[in-house]
Structures are given as C-alpha cells and as structure tokens.
Amino acid sequence: SEVLGAAALPQDRFLRTVGFGRAARSAWQHLSAEARADINAYVAGINAFLISHHGRQLPPEFTLLNFEPEPWSGEDVLVWVKMMAWDLGANYSLELFRRDLVEKVGAERAAQLMPPYPADAPTIMGAALGTDAPSHDARDPGAPSSVTPSSSTNNVAPSAEPAAATATMATTGVIPAWSELFRQALATGHPAVTEFLLNGARTEALGSNNWVVDGTMTASGKPILANDPHLSTHIPSLWYLAHMSAGAFDVIGGSFPGAPAIAIGRNSHIAWGETNVAADVEDFYLEKLDADGKAAEFQGRFEPLHVIHEEIKVKGRAPVMVDVRVTRHGPLVSDALNVMNAGSSLPPLAFRWTALDGDDSTVEAFLKLNEAKNWDEFVEAMRLFITPSQNFVYADTEGHIGYFLPGRIPIRQAGDGLTPSPGWTGDHEWTGFVPFDALPRVFDPPSHMIVTANHRPNPQDDPLMIALEYPEPYRAEQITALLRGRRGLTASDIQKVQADVYSRHAATLLPLLLKTVDATTASSDVPQALAILREWKYNADRDSAAPAIFEAWFLALAPAIVGDDLGPRLLDSYEGRYSFVTRFISHTLTSNDEAWCDDSRTPVKESCRAVVTTALQQGLAALTQSMGADMKSWKWGTVHPAVFPHQGLDAVGLLRPLVSRSVPNGGDWSTVDVGAVSVQHPLEQHEIPGYRQIVDLSPDNDSRFLDAVGQSGHPLSPHYDDFLPDWRAVRHEIDPARVPNSHRQAR
C-alpha cells in the first residue's frame, strides 16, 4: 500500500493480520549470534548495492512506481522465507473447501469427491527400503515416544486469567461457503498478489521432483542427485544461481533472492535436493467470542483476546490502523477477510501455523546445511528446520545417499485437521510435535536409489500422521520406472529423465474414457479426435495434437459430471484438484454411477456415457476456437504456453509484451517434466520446474544447474530471459569454451 496505494490495502491487511512480520521479528531474536552475523553480512552486500544505485540505475518498475527500495534487513530475510513457506502450504484452503463441500453435498458424497491416497500406491520410504511395511531400519532405533512441548509464538495470545463464564457469545453459527468468501475477499486486490496469497488453492500444480542414485547405478561409481522444484512462474525468476567460495567454504546451486544461503545445491562434500511434503501444519479454529468480542471461550471459561496494533502506510492517504485480535490458537484471520469483502460474514476463525512460532530457525538450518560435510552434520542441520517440511534427498562424495523429512509436525489431541475445529472445547489442541528422532529418514537404502515427487512419505500402516492428502504418484512411478535396474548412469541420462513427458495420467484415464464415449451420437469431429487418441503413445509432446485433445477433454469432465451438484463456486475450487478429480472420475465411470452423471438441472436423465461424450465435444469446440478446424495442424504447445508474467508490470497491457514472456511447451500435471494446466487460465502453464539441477559427486563433477528465465531482473539486459530456450529443451550442456575452467570445476 505504501507503494501502490489503497488497491493493495486488502493484501496488507491480511498479511499483517496473519503476522508474518511479527513472527519474523521474534524469530530473529531467537537465532544464534553466528546465524545473525552471517545474515547481516549478506544484508550488508544488498545494501551496498542499494546505496550506490538510484533512479535509472534500478530496474524500470522502480521508476514507473516512483519509489526506491528501503535498506534490507535480517528481519526482511526471515519474513521472505516465511512467505515461501506460505506458498508451499495451502492446507488451510483444503480445510475450508472440505468443510464447504460437506455443507453442500454431505459427508458421504464429499468423501467420494475427495478420495484418499490409494492404499496400494508407493511411498517414499517403502520404495527405498524395498517394502511398504514400516521398518525400524528407517528410523533411529532409540526414537523416544514422548512429544516435544508446543513452543510459544508471538501470534498466540499469552495465558491470562479467564473472564467470567457467563459472558454471552457474539457468534455461534457456522457460515457455509467459507472458501469462496476467502477467495472473494482476497480477490479485491492486485491479481498477481491475490494469486500468490491463494498459493495454489484452486489448482494442483505446485510440486517438485528429486531423486538420488548411489554408485552401484552410475558410470563413475559415485552418486548422482537430481532436483527440479515446481513453483509458480515469475519474471524476474524466483531463483538466482550462485557460486559462493571463500577458503574452505565452497557452495553452488539455486538460491532465493533475499535469502543468504543456497537452498538447493552442493558443496565440496555433499549435495541435497528438496520436494514439498505438504505436511498438515496449518489448522483453523472456530472461536466463540463474548458479546464485546474481547474474549474467547475455552473449556467453559472466557479468556481475554490479545490485541496487536498495526499501522499500514498508504500512498496518497492517511495510514490505516488495524487491531489484530489473537486467541490462544492464533490471529483471527476472519477479521481481515470480513473487512476486505463487504459481503463476507465469516464467524471468528483463528489460524494456527508452525511458521508463526516465534523460534522458527529454518534459515539457520540452511546456513548449517551449506557447510555440512557428511550425513551426521546434514542431520544436525535438519534439527533446526521448522517449516515448510521438505523431502530432502542427500548424497556425498564418500558414496552415501539418504533421505530426511524435517520440520515441526503437530500432534493433535483429537481430530485429523481436515476441517476447521471448535476452539472452545479444548479437544483439538496441539499437544506437541513429532519428536525429531522419530521423523522419517533413510540412509544407504537397499534399493540403491530414493525418489520423491510429493507422494506419501511413510508407509500406509505407519502410525505417524504427517498429512492425509497427497497427489497421485504418477511422477514418482515414472521416475522409478526409468531408473530401476539401470547401471552406468551419467548426468546426461539423468537429464533425459528430467525431460520425460510420458503422461501416466493419460495412460491411466484415457482407456476408460475411450471405453465410455459414444461416438455414434457425437458431433462429426469426434471420430477424428478419437482416432488420434487411439494412436497416441501418451507422450505429451508440445508438437502433438493428442495431448491437447486429452487435456481439453479432461478439463471438461468435472464441470460436466458434478457442475450441477456443486454449483459454480465450489466447482471453481474443485476442478483444479486433479488428483481428486481423477480418482473420482475413475471410480464413477468404472462403477457406472449414474447418480453423479445425471444433470439434476435438466428433465432428461443423463448417462455417464452421454456426459463423457458431451465433455469431449466441449473440449474439441474450445480447441477449434483456439486453433481452427484443421485437427491435423493442432499442436499442444499452441494452447499450452508456459507463461512468465512480470511481477508488478504484467497487469499493464502496454508493458506486458516488453516485460513478460511465454513459450509453447509440453507436458502435463503428471509428467516428470511437469506441464500442469491452469484452470484460471485454461490450458496455459503457470507452474513450472523453475530450477533444475543434476549433481555428479564424482571427481569429474559433471554437475549441471539451470534457471528457467535468466539471472537479470532488468528487461533490457541480455540475461533477462536468455535461459528460456535451454530451459524448455531441458538442455544443460554448455560449450566448455564459453566457461572459465574455475567455474567448470566448481564444487
């Protein structure tokens, strides 16, 4: 708001209410002196640049918006890391959506729409150990059974003498459609910021791949580790390639601008990579307030709310004062959402999240990780990791490989955290966190490889509850299939795996669709489309017509089958959750569940066969509108560009061609080279493997690192987007003549 004016006030109000800044300030005070010194040295480098660059020496958005950045600080570093944790969360949105779904269709039908992770699907640890049964070999034998006490947070109200239990409640009702009100409230501001705050709440796309193979599978006899994190498209990039060398300290890889460590990469001794766990570390609590809204009921007594005064500067007008009310469970985010949207009437809703804990030491974990020399030091760095929980794969020059899942995973007194819990009963409190020594880990597994792709970490019958909602394991299955039994692997072989666009989603669902569709009653273009699909080998190449037809068909299925049951608001949230949609459609068509397929809005009783056929026709009509009637000329990449909007200036139509970029691309949400489509921007790709790395731990060090767009944030720089051709081609090789020897041999 200080820069953009009142248009950005809703986002500022929401972020101040959640308390990212407050949590960062508290975490800064809890860091070790060594960590603060490291961060301050990094901050000093940023500020040295800012002091010496002004006006046209800065990127053009500063001139256009008529401001210059303030000095960076250690607290800014921490708050940015917390924003990345927010971007990788989104469990909060599933809680609200699931509650809305139950309100709309009932618990039984909601469960059908959101089936759980398949019981027979692979798990990270199970595959690594050669079994999906729990194994003590995967954990420290002496793991304690006690829980770690919950840490205090500056966003949770301090203990206080409860108020009189006779106080009256201001709000007791449950308001349906919370997730829609949430979206409406956030949607009042700048689109780019809104999309970031929603952080994938409406599409299943954010994810990552990583894997590591030991020396028995490689040509060099040493491990190779690969990683490609999938995040939202941005220009300038979210990533910045860096090689930092100072005496014995030598680390290289992908960093986040504004944070003082290599997030994914290697040093002289070890390499690491990460994928998102999506651990359930966010809970909403419904609160009962007294008539004055100054106290919340807990176990029959009323506790005074903690009130925090926030001042928001607004360009062109007086500052806005915000009183943030905090219960024992966290800030009442409903206050911000109700103010942001005049039509919103959410009940008091408190937000509990591990990233708001005042002693979050995640940044320090990365600083330690950058200097770790072996598995033991790597594990000690993980001890400091709080959120967002990541699937770390590990390798070292001695030949060892490993896996570790760090972070604070809450233990709930009751319930599963899938929907908002009553805050006044005391039955759903966090009683602690999973002990560090009980967190999943594997070291030198018998499989000789470890693969993670956001699928379930621990075996199904393991009592450890990390989360209950995981995507289909298509990417993990494909990576495993391409690696299993291989010998003599090189970095170039691993690169081919990263470039793979075989769609296990299509291979699973399309045969069922082809069996169900009725070509005899369809429009004239359907037989040609079906002929193309029957010849398809399930490679989602950008120059092929078949993936375009399949994806358009798939996107039309959820609206055709459940649009009448959910209505436009819930459908808007549901149709982008591709794993749930796929499981639901597969079960519905396999069981021929006509109750779902019938459209209650029409007098005719529709069959599943008719609905599937109609969806194909609708998909073909959309493709015809985009690419013309000549189906032979259709290409997936034509309607499926990877779009890189400039953060801030893309909203200005005249500037968009100058600052934003897009390239035709292949893949789908299930392919290793991921190409998930966006429901908000039909068929476009807005989530990508924005950084790719392949680390060779042999003395030859054939390691490769690639950003999606470029190293510069200035659109007039030749390095603004010069990585794009190599990124789309998944091409890491560089002519050695162009690279100094010191860089080629970097470790």
Side-chain angles (χ1 to χ4, degrees), residues 96 178 284-287 330-335 337 346-351 420-421:
L96 297 179
W178 292 348
F284 278 119
Y285 288 88
L286 276 166
E287 305 285 14
L332 289 173
V333 295
S334 49
D335 286 353
L337 300 179
L346 288 170
L349 201 61
F351 184 50
S421 301

Side-chain angles (χ1 to χ4, degrees), residues 131-208:
T131 173
D132 272 337
S135 170
H136 291 293
D137 293 336
R139 314 257 183 92
D140 287 351
S145 58
S146 60
V147 297
T148 304
S150 299
S151 64
S152 61
T153 166
N154 67 309
N155 280 318
V156 173
S159 59
E161 290 298 321
T166 56
T168 58
M169 287 169 40
T171 304
T172 60
V174 176
I175 308 298
W178 292 348
S179 56
E180 178 56 28
L181 292 172
F182 185 74
R183 287 194 304 275
Q184 288 178 353
L186 291 181
T188 58
H190 189 279
V193 180
T194 298
E195 187 169 352
F196 181 72
L197 291 177
L198 291 173
N199 77 65
R202 295 167 61 191
T203 57
E204 180 184 306
L206 299 184
S208 302

Side-chain angles (χ1 to χ4, degrees), residues 59-62 80 232-240 257 644-650 659-661 688 690 707-715 719-721:
E61 51 264 43
F62 293 99
W80 178 235
S232 299
T233 52
H234 293 272
I235 193 165
S237 174
L238 277 174
W239 297 94
Y240 189 77
F644 299 84
H646 185 276
Q647 295 306 288
L649 300 183
D650 184 78
V659 297
S660 298
R661 298 291 184 269
I688 61 164
D707 190 4
V709 281
Q711 286 286 88
S712 174
H714 201 300
H719 304 299
Y720 183 67
D721 59 1

